[in-house]
Amino acid sequence: MAKAMKIAIVDDEQDMRQSISQWLALSGFDTESFATAEEALKRIGPDYPGVVVSDVRMPGMDGMAFLKRLMSQDSALPVIIITGHGDVPMAVEAMRVGAFDFLEKPFNPDQMTELAKKATQKRRLALDARALRRDLSGGTQIMDKLIGASPAMERLREDILDLGQADGHVLIDGETGTGKTLAAHALHAVGSRASKPFVLVQCGAYAEEEMGSKLFEGDPDASLLPLVEQARGGTLCLEDVEALSAALQARLLTFINDQGAPAETRIVAVSNLQEQGKTSEDALRPDLFYRLAAMRITLPPLRQRGEDILQLFNRFAEGFSDEYGCEAPEVGAQEAAQLLQAPWPGNVRQLINVAERAVLQSRRGSGTIASLLMAESETVEPVMTTEGKPLKEYVEAFERMLIDNTMRRHKGSIVAVMDELCLPRRTLNEKMAKYGLQRSDYL
């Protein structure tokens, strides 16, 4: 049986608080009352397991200011506003801000109960969906590889979680080296097909006849089923989908159409045309393109991911230092700025190469990250560099990297980090909270 949702009642009039609490308690709700909005905010957080009923006119923080604070910390929290006679315009404004509904005094207790039931049902669904998303995003190793706290990566993870639960075919595009195949694996891992096959096909690796045979005919002599059969019930990932000939595109479209809806086998098509100034829409026949692009994910280029660059560099350098048995290179403020400002036309794949070479240089005791970036720029096509950022953003990115590196080196010892960085405990705690760093991650 589902646990009863709470109802937080916020009203400066004690009689009104008691009356509402009694009415709702009789309907099976677990209520708690607060005389002020400030008092209520100490108890009501982003994942509050219930809804809020608040008067609009209160001393101190009024109902509108209270509503705005609640919406800023959890926009999915249902808030029912109680207004006095003549406050309907204010109630309309509250609805615009995000209130679930409003009641005008004097109101019918049954109306209050009915509203509370609807609000708690909505809240329970929202919290269940939120818990599911957290389980999915934190419960698979593949999602853990989608590193980064930038808005672009937050959106990418949200898109993967959303589309992972759907049945439609997906088109993934983006520049080279951005992690399109990793995203395809993640889509499969967080969806209902996770326990079914994931079959990856390199469409550009074979001539047309051989590709057609592998996809649709198999090899009877070797008892190999065609790839579309191997992927049945799961995900068929077509890398470089634009490399398929017109004839194979037609056969693929027939396969998709014959499946009906919902599709038994999901197609995830990966396109690598973006960096060539072309699009998959140009390369695919229109009817196939629109079937594959019913849902679409575009991977963000590294130069748009800001501080993620330093986080990724640290992670890759740490891995290579373990592999080669040496210390990871120290990154100073100037080198951090150079990493952030580099154009990264090769994206994450290029960053991995730079990190490995930086570790090898460090082992030899020579070379700089700047020299590696210059050498990389000679072997790739130039692209527009990152847009200029305020100095504060560079400083904060370097500060986060410095604390992260020091915490890793001292395996989470707060005292050792305080000593090395000459920071008092309170300042270190505040900065770790600001940058989303947790000591438990370093133990």
Side-chain angles (χ1 to χ4, degrees):
M1 184 176 176
K3 185 178 178 181
M5 295 250 95
K6 286 183 175 294
I7 305 282
I9 302 161
V10 187
D11 198 307
D12 60 307
E13 296 181 15
Q14 184 176 1
D15 290 345
M16 181 61 72
R17 291 198 306 273
Q18 290 178 342
S19 296
I20 296 174
S21 180
Q22 289 171 1
W23 292 332
L24 294 176
L26 288 172
S27 299
F29 292 106
D30 181 9
T31 66
E32 53 183 342
S33 301
F34 306 94
T36 66
E38 292 86 351
E39 183 185 345
L41 283 170
K42 296 176 182 178
R43 287 275 296 143
I44 302 172
D47 290 313
Y48 181 71
V51 305
V52 177
V53 176
S54 174
D55 192 14
V56 74
R57 295 194 180 276
M58 298 183 290
M61 181 184 292
D62 66 17
M64 284 298 296
F66 180 44
L67 173 64
K68 290 175 182 177
R69 281 285 297 275
L70 292 174
M71 291 298 98
S72 69
Q73 67 182 23
D74 188 346
S75 61
L77 176 66
V79 180
I80 300 170
I81 293 291
I82 298 175
T83 68
H85 181 67
D87 285 336
V88 173
M90 187 180 295
V92 173
E93 174 62 13
M95 295 289 287
R96 189 192 66 79
V97 171
F100 178 76
D101 212 328
F102 71 93
L103 286 171
E104 186 178 3
K105 298 177 185 176
F107 52 83
N108 185 317
D110 291 335
Q111 189 180 5
M112 164 68 77
T113 302
E114 189 61 30
L115 260 186
K117 286 180 180 178
K118 291 179 180 178
T120 52
Q121 287 171 358
K122 179 182 179 183
R123 183 59 170 169
R124 181 174 284 112
L125 289 173
L127 292 177
D128 287 349
R130 189 175 293 173
L132 175 62
R133 294 174 75 81
R134 285 173 179 163
D135 288 344
L136 290 172
S137 62
T140 63
Q141 291 183 343
I142 197 73
M143 285 295 283
D144 290 342
K145 294 180 181 179
L146 295 170
I147 301 167
S150 63
M153 287 304 291
E154 292 285 358
R155 285 193 299 273
L156 174 63
R157 285 190 289 267
E158 288 295 310
D159 286 345
I160 288 173
L161 289 172
D162 283 339
L163 301 190
Q165 301 304 300
D167 288 315
H169 307 301
V170 182
L171 176 67
I172 300 176
D173 58 15
E175 295 181 11
T176 184
T178 48
K180 296 184 289 295
T181 304
L182 178 63
H185 278 280
L187 264 176
H188 177 78
V190 302
S192 60
R193 294 175 169 84
S195 61
K196 301 295 178 62
F198 178 91
V199 177
L200 179 64
V201 185
Q202 300 278 354
C203 297
Y206 305 98
E208 178 181 357
E209 185 176 345
E210 187 178 4
M211 186 74 256
S213 176
K214 286 181 176 293
L215 262 181
F216 302 107
E217 297 156 16
D219 186 348
D221 294 334
S223 299
L224 288 177
L225 291 171
L227 295 174
V228 293
E229 287 297 325
Q230 292 180 35
R232 183 172 293 277
T235 300
L236 178 65
C237 180
L238 302 174
E239 269 208 344
D240 295 316
V241 65
E242 64 276 357
L244 291 177
S245 67
L248 289 179
Q249 288 185 35
R251 293 184 70 179
L252 177 61
L253 180 63
T254 299
F255 170 75
I256 292 173
N257 290 336
D258 287 347
Q259 286 196 95
E264 181 181 10
T265 302
R266 184 180 216 179
I267 308 295
V268 176
V270 177
S271 172
N272 289 296
L273 283 174
Q274 193 179 87
E275 64 271 14
Q276 301 173 25
K278 301 177 182 177
T279 67
S280 49
E281 188 171 2
D282 298 325
L284 298 175
R285 51 184 290 165
D287 43 6
L288 177 61
F289 171 77
Y290 289 115
R291 293 303 300 271
L292 295 176
M295 300 178 183
R296 193 168 186 173
I297 293 177
T298 299
L299 274 288
L302 189 59
R303 61 185 173 276
Q304 293 179 5
R305 293 177 54 185
E307 188 182 325
D308 288 356
I309 295 169
L310 298 183
Q311 184 180 355
L312 286 164
F313 181 85
N314 282 338
R315 182 71 63 91
F316 298 144
E318 202 172 81
F320 286 123
S321 67
D322 289 341
E323 181 180 338
Y324 293 117
C326 61
E327 290 293 321
E330 292 288 335
V331 180
Q334 183 176 353
E335 290 177 316
Q338 290 167 337
L339 286 168
L340 288 168
Q341 292 174 321
W344 299 112
N347 292 292
V348 178
R349 192 178 296 122
Q350 182 187 4
L351 181 61
I352 293 172
N353 295 337
V354 171
E356 182 175 16
R357 292 168 65 189
V359 169
L360 293 173
Q361 279 188 165
S362 178
R363 187 173 66 170
R364 293 197 309 269
S366 63
T368 64
I369 291 175
S371 65
L372 291 175
L373 292 174
M374 290 177 64
E376 286 283 318
S377 68
E378 294 173 358
T379 61
V380 294
E381 292 294 322
V383 300
M384 187 175 293
T385 58
T386 303
E387 293 181 1
K389 295 179 181 293
L391 177 63
K392 180 174 179 288
E393 290 190 25
Y394 287 117
V395 172
E396 289 180 347
F398 175 67
E399 190 173 62
R400 184 192 188 285
M401 181 198 69
L402 190 61
I403 295 173
D404 179 51
N405 284 347
T406 310
M407 287 291 291
R408 289 185 186 281
R409 193 163 54 253
H410 293 295
K411 296 180 171 57
S413 171
I414 295 294
V415 173
V417 174
M418 288 165 52
D419 289 343
E420 180 171 333
L421 300 181
C422 300
L423 288 174
R425 180 181 289 272
R426 180 176 178 180
T427 302
L428 178 59
N429 288 342
E430 288 175 349
K431 290 185 179 297
M432 288 182 66
K434 176 182 178 181
Y435 298 129
L437 303 175
Q438 298 182 2
R439 180 172 178 265
S440 59
D441 293 336
Y442 303 96
L443 298 177

